[in-house]
Amino acid sequence: MTTTANLTPPTLSDFESLARTAWEQMPGAYRALCGHVELFVADFADAEMLEAVGLEDPFELTGLYMGVDLTQQSSMDPSPEASRVFLFRRPILDEWAERETVTLGELIAHVLVHEIGHHFGLSDEDMHKIEDSGA
């Protein structure tokens, strides 16, 4: 097993490449349901994002979905902005360093799938129940 102690952290570009790979490895049916969800990678959430989710410490937020989830969308409503998924490199790297049982790619995929779950209308509690059930 490779430890994280002696590794150089991936750049934003490297991290985004891992995120794009995770996106491409999701089943096509799920990607199709995502429509035009845009994927962004940043080092940290900005102050406005943190405030929106009630957090102060940027290391506490590994990802964020911003948009109208599928359960709330209507063909009658205008959609001024595309839904967006943000992955935050530094908090994910910190979590990866603490967890020795997953690869960075696996962790990025996990966070991405979690945020896509919000696009499908799932709450954090819903997703934790699914994870705990082993489904």
Side-chain angles (χ1 to χ4, degrees):
M1 177 184 311
T2 303
T3 64
T4 58
N6 296 321
L7 298 178
T8 302
T11 64
L12 274 173
S13 178
D14 296 336
F15 197 93
E16 184 171 348
S17 187
L18 288 168
R20 297 277 172 214
T21 297
W23 170 261
E24 291 166 7
Q25 290 177 348
M26 287 176 46
Y30 291 113
R31 286 195 324 266
L33 287 171
C34 290
H36 298 289
V37 171
E38 297 175 350
L39 177 61
F40 296 93
V41 173
D43 273 327
F44 290 104
D46 63 28
E48 185 177 311
M49 292 172 176
L50 291 171
E51 185 177 327
V53 295
L55 295 173
E56 292 182 15
D57 183 355
F59 279 99
E60 291 182 29
L61 190 61
T62 56
L64 181 66
Y65 171 76
M66 296 180 76
V68 178
D69 71 62
L70 293 178
T71 67
Q72 301 298 313
Q73 291 180 6
S74 167
S75 61
M76 304 303 284
D77 292 334
S79 181
E81 287 188 43
S83 294
R84 296 169 284 170
V85 168
F86 293 86
L87 301 179
F88 303 114
R89 184 179 76 100
R90 292 287 309 277
I92 290 174
L93 290 175
D94 274 18
E95 183 174 333
W96 176 55
E98 293 171 7
R99 297 173 65 181
E100 296 181 1
T101 59
V102 297
T103 67
L104 180 57
E106 290 169 338
L107 184 56
I108 290 170
H110 174 80
V111 175
L112 176 63
V113 167
H114 181 93
E115 298 311 324
I116 294 296
H118 290 306
H119 177 68
F120 294 145
L122 298 172
S123 68
D124 286 334
E125 183 178 294
D126 293 334
M127 287 183 271
H128 290 300
K129 287 179 184 175
I130 291 168
E131 289 173 347
D132 292 345
S133 75

